[in-house]
Amino acid sequence: MGNCVSRSKQPFPVFSSSSSAEKNMGNHISDGLPIAEPTTSFWTIPAAPISKPLSQKNLPSHADVVIIGSGISGASFARTLLECGDCLHVVMLEAQDVCSGATGRNGGHIFPATYHDYEVLKTRVGEDMAKKMVRFRKAHLDEILAITAEESITEYTQCRAVEGVDVYFDKPTFKEAQRKLQVYQCDMGEYAGSYTCYEGLDAQERFHLSPLAVGCIATRAGAIHPYRFVTSILSRLLTDYPKEFEIHTHAPCTSIDEPTSSCPFYRLTTARGVITTPHVVHLTNAYAPALLPALKGVILPIRETMTAQRPGRNLHASTLHGGRSFVFFDSPRKGFDYLTQLPDGEHELMFGAGFESRMDGGANAMYGVHSAAHVGGAMPIYFGAESWGAEALPTTPTDEQDVGVGLWAEGRVKAIWSGLLSESADGMPWVGNVPVKVAGRKAPPASSAPSALNSSTRKLKSVLTAAPGEWIAAGYSGEGMVHAWLSSKAVALMLLGEDLTEVKTWLPELFSVTEDRVKMAKRTFKPDVVLSGKKRVFSP
């Protein structure tokens, strides 16, 4: 979560059909509607005022645009649509609480995979497209830093650039990473960014790591409090656009009916009533196939484990009180774990298992016992007993300092939870308009698009959006923090019918949703060659 799944090669067999792939990748996880998670994410305490139902009134009968999902994708889309659009009535539906899904349960890790898979991308999609895909990922850190500054929430969301460190514990894997880095830097040139390799004792001493560490590769990365980021933006939009924007929580959309002769709009049935609209925007990531069945076996759900842990008393030299983030590659077969640290409070370590947990998914949305045990004990091994130091004692904050008093455990592992993210069958996000044959239902007629009276004639109508239809940004393969914001921004501009000349310079064309791409993804899905993330570091 937040750059977790996709940094390891997946040692699954190659499947010949999407149904078997779905069964194994999903690991008994339902691809139905979002559930009430049984574990509490540390990020979500204290809860934002907008996280709970704002009112119990029924939905409006109609909206110009209906957004399904209230995570980072929903925040990006809504912000772009409202600020660039013209008096559109926008309704956001959330099955549970605001930002209760993957965004509110991830690691807050803005650490794009770059050199790790550039070479295989180049082989599969060509050098130019590989470069564009990497630039797209890298652009998210500066974009999110700029957004928090514009919203005046940089400090509140703890959004910051950090030193990102890939730590390797296997010599062949580290050598392969160095080779891939050279290929990446040679092709990308000045756009590669700055990377520094440290080997053996040099790496151990610089980053205060275990003697087991064989090398590190360091670069610029980022970290953020993802829940505060999303809820702050949505709160501000509700304030600034009180007539245009509303959020309805505990309103799962259970079905979408196509337009008819008597109702020229989509008809969405929810737990809070029925709403019609010419535009439906699917921003539910792993849950998208619930309302778009054609994407079953294309966007696959995966459950991951996250923790908030108290740091060892000597660890500040390694983590710089939140100034560094880490990805730990312990062996070619075991994959990776990832770590950020909060810059205040008890300086909690936000530590997740990127590979252990996916093979150990618990039933009923609980984390697996094996993955929980792994993340609970891994860090003193990664950093070494001396660098970790004695175990920290819990502080005794006042209620004003920590409304979670009494909620968290008093040992090293303060909180542990899980969340559902997605894996895209071809490794790339699915971004843009959903073709009718993929949606499985007719689109409303062009005449049902939102329109307004011409200000000069007061008679002629001007259309406010592109042609009615369904839209999506999903399938981030565990790399949502470096794909979701710009993907959803692009979808909003598409829906508005804006000139996309500038968007096309940064949005990879291969992210588009087409019937052929869906068929190809189902037919050729091979988990060991999925494009996204750091998988190919572990190639034999």
Side-chain angles (χ1 to χ4, degrees), residues 234-267:
L234 293 178
S235 295
R236 199 267 297 170
L237 293 176
L238 287 170
T239 299
D240 288 359
Y241 301 93
K243 295 181 180 179
E244 294 90 354
F245 185 48
E246 52 189 291
I247 301 174
H248 289 263
T249 54
H250 295 266
C253 180
T254 55
S255 67
I256 302 174
D257 294 321
E258 65 183 19
T260 63
S261 57
S262 59
C263 178
F265 303 103
Y266 294 113
R267 186 176 185 272

Side-chain angles (χ1 to χ4, degrees), residues 130-150:
K131 289 178 178 178
K132 190 171 187 177
M133 292 172 71
V134 170
R135 288 196 299 267
F136 181 78
R137 299 172 185 177
K138 287 170 63 65
H140 276 75
L141 175 54
D142 286 333
E143 178 79 4
I144 292 174
L145 286 168
I147 296 299
T148 56
E150 291 171 12

Side-chain angles (χ1 to χ4, degrees), residues 437-472:
K437 288 188 177 180
V438 175
R441 48 192 161 250
K442 295 185 298 183
S447 59
S448 67
S451 58
L453 288 176
N454 186 289
S455 59
S456 59
T457 66
R458 304 298 296 172
K459 292 181 179 180
L460 298 176
K461 290 186 176 182
S462 61
V463 178
L464 302 178
T465 69
E470 297 185 58
W471 310 81
I472 190 171

Side-chain angles (χ1 to χ4, degrees), residues 472-485:
I472 190 171
Y476 304 130
S477 297
E479 301 275 354
M481 296 304 293
V482 295
H483 283 106
W485 187 270

Side-chain angles (χ1 to χ4, degrees), residues 260-330:
T260 63
S261 57
S262 59
C263 178
F265 303 103
Y266 294 113
R267 186 176 185 272
L268 282 65
T269 301
T270 82
R272 299 275 298 279
V274 174
I275 185 170
T276 62
T277 183
H279 292 286
V280 178
V281 188
H282 300 268
L283 302 177
T284 55
N285 201 18
Y287 291 107
L291 296 171
L292 294 168
L295 297 184
K296 289 184 178 181
V298 174
I299 296 177
L300 302 136
I302 298 171
R303 185 160 292 279
E304 296 290 348
T305 303
M306 257 313 289
T307 61
Q309 302 189 34
R310 296 181 175 89
R313 296 188 190 183
N314 294 345
L315 199 64
H316 62 277
S318 299
T319 57
L320 304 181
H321 292 306
R324 280 194 184 124
S325 293
F326 294 86
V327 177
F328 301 100
F329 298 94
D330 59 0

